[in-house]
Amino acid sequence: MPTNTSSPAVIEVTPYTQQQPRWYCEQLEHGKVLSFRKAPFPFSEDDARFLLSQKQTGSRFHKNISYRPASDVLKGADPGADRERLHTIVRNFSREVTQFISSFLAPYAGKLKLDFASFRPLEEQGRDLPLHKRNDLLHVDAFPTRPTRGGRILRAFLNINPAASRVWNVGEPFHEFLPKLKHREVITPPPRNPALTALRKLGSRIGLPVPDRAPYDEYMLFLHDWLKENTDFQTSSPKWELQFAPGSCWMVYTDGVPHAVMSGRYALEQTFIVPAQALVSPEVAPVNVLHKIAGMEAIQI
Ligand code: SIN
Ligand code: FE
């Protein structure tokens, strides 16, 4: 059996504790973080050194460098940067991590939707951000511009900082914390405006950049903000500190595991959307947990 570290939230994956791909998918879907001491895919020291040498000017709008695999577009790099090299490195990272996940998590192969990747050069500790954008408060992820319509958000991170861990807090997974929330009944997004919903659907169908959100997506966006606002959840819900050492890699369903980044800089990250049909444990997917809870039948996808 793989050894759990001191935190019940993490499973360390080592060459000596190999399990079947399906088992790893199950653990992830049930809210475990899978962690690797070193990147389980090729990533060169040279590339890491180059990324560490990049000096972003820290403009508020370009906090992270993002990469869109579908269109091969890199955004957010400073004009002075060697953008071509940066682009090549993030593109290669995205390809390598995707290839690894397609075999390590074989049940998902061919079904994953590749979302954005990013390079996160800024120190997370002490960032001055508006409440809903703060990443040091526990939250589950939901993307305003990219509705998943019930699909799950899987993310893989690599800490390329040679000198410091990336420190997270994580909480109990969705199927455990959500049913226990005392104020569940008040976590209800405002009613949808039918005219606006129809307009969005139309806009998105003809290719305008407007998100066609399902009620599920609106619920998850609302929950993201609600959790950050809720002092009781922030202070009293069970949580564990995880330290991701220099050079380590980890993956987690961030739509299900409440997480907060407390410190660290220089991480690479790739996001995947895993459609409902690809899941091995659909019963613990947030959309199905919400369906099971009385009064939440309206959370449609
Ligand atoms: C997040 O909250 O999704 C970001 C986590 C991180 O950058 O470590
Ligand atoms: Fe997040």
Side-chain angles (χ1 to χ4, degrees):
M1 278 299 286
T3 35
N4 280 5
T5 62
S6 54
S7 161
V10 178
I11 294 171
E12 265 217 56
V13 183
T14 77
Y16 314 106
T17 54
Q18 284 292 322
Q19 297 283 319
Q20 294 300 314
R22 194 182 171 84
W23 188 84
Y24 288 121
C25 293
E26 273 166 16
Q27 298 305 311
L28 282 167
E29 290 178 32
H30 281 83
K32 300 288 188 202
V33 179
L34 299 187
S35 118
F36 302 75
R37 216 169 278 268
K38 280 196 161 68
F41 48 84
F43 189 79
S44 81
E45 296 264 329
D46 253 14
D47 287 351
R49 261 194 300 272
F50 176 83
L51 291 182
L52 294 167
S53 73
Q54 293 302 292
K55 298 268 179 289
Q56 286 283 105
T57 53
S59 140
R60 272 181 82 81
F61 298 103
H62 290 165
K63 50 179 185 155
N64 291 322
I65 291 168
S66 74
Y67 173 67
R68 304 177 175 205
S71 50
D72 190 31
V73 169
L74 187 80
K75 291 200 173 179
D78 274 353
D82 180 350
R83 287 199 224 191
E84 207 158 311
R85 173 112 196 248
L86 205 52
H87 198 151
T88 306
I89 294 174
V90 184
R91 179 197 295 122
N92 285 344
F93 162 76
S94 167
R95 286 187 184 160
E96 293 289 357
V97 70
T98 303
Q99 201 180 335
F100 172 73
I101 286 208
S102 300
S103 66
F104 180 68
L105 305 176
Y108 300 156
K111 301 175 191 157
L112 293 169
K113 186 167 165 277
L114 214 51
D115 195 71
F116 298 172
S118 61
F119 173 49
R120 305 166 163 253
L122 299 187
E123 174 54 58
E124 294 291 341
Q125 188 167 28
R127 281 179 73 180
D128 181 22
L129 292 168
L131 185 108
H132 290 162
K133 291 207 183 325
R134 277 177 58 183
N135 280 337
D136 60 333
L137 295 170
L138 285 170
H139 65 282
V140 290
D141 284 345
F143 304 134
T145 56
R146 281 120 61 219
T148 72
R149 309 191 76 89
R152 298 207 59 183
I153 300 173
L154 176 66
R155 305 179 88 179
F157 293 82
L158 176 63
N159 181 10
I160 63 162
N161 189 339
S165 296
R166 197 169 185 87
V167 180
W168 278 24
N169 284 336
V170 296
E172 294 177 313
F174 202 91
H175 60 282
E176 291 176 13
F177 85 78
L178 202 279
K180 283 198 291 200
L181 278 184
K182 278 197 238 63
H183 310 290
R184 204 164 66 203
E185 62 281 5
V186 306
I187 316 175
T188 308
R192 282 153 72 90
N193 172 333
L196 193 65
T197 305
L199 212 58
R200 280 216 172 117
K201 195 173 277 306
L202 183 70
S204 138
R205 218 168 265 162
I206 61 170
L208 295 180
V210 281
D212 177 16
R213 290 184 199 132
Y216 169 73
D217 299 300
E218 308 230 335
Y219 181 90
M220 293 300 281
L221 283 169
F222 191 83
L223 180 65
H224 166 276
D225 291 354
W226 191 92
L227 292 175
K228 286 188 178 178
E229 285 164 16
N230 195 276
T231 319
D232 191 39
F233 181 77
Q234 295 298 327
T235 53
S236 315
S237 65
K239 53 175 161 319
W240 296 269
E241 186 186 87
L242 306 182
Q243 304 215 6
F244 301 109
S248 70
C249 172
W250 62 104
M251 49 194 73
V252 56
Y253 273 105
T254 55
D255 58 346
V257 177
H259 57 284
V261 52
M262 310 315 288
S263 67
R265 63 189 303 191
Y266 302 123
L268 280 160
E269 170 268 339
Q270 171 71 56
T271 300
F272 303 91
I273 306 300
V274 184
Q277 319 82 271
L279 298 171
V280 302
S281 304
E283 70 284 0
V284 289
V287 70
N288 292 325
V289 173
L290 293 173
H291 277 163
K292 260 189 258 148
I293 291 175
M296 294 205 174
E297 296 84 3
I299 309 292
Q300 300 297 323
I301 50 174

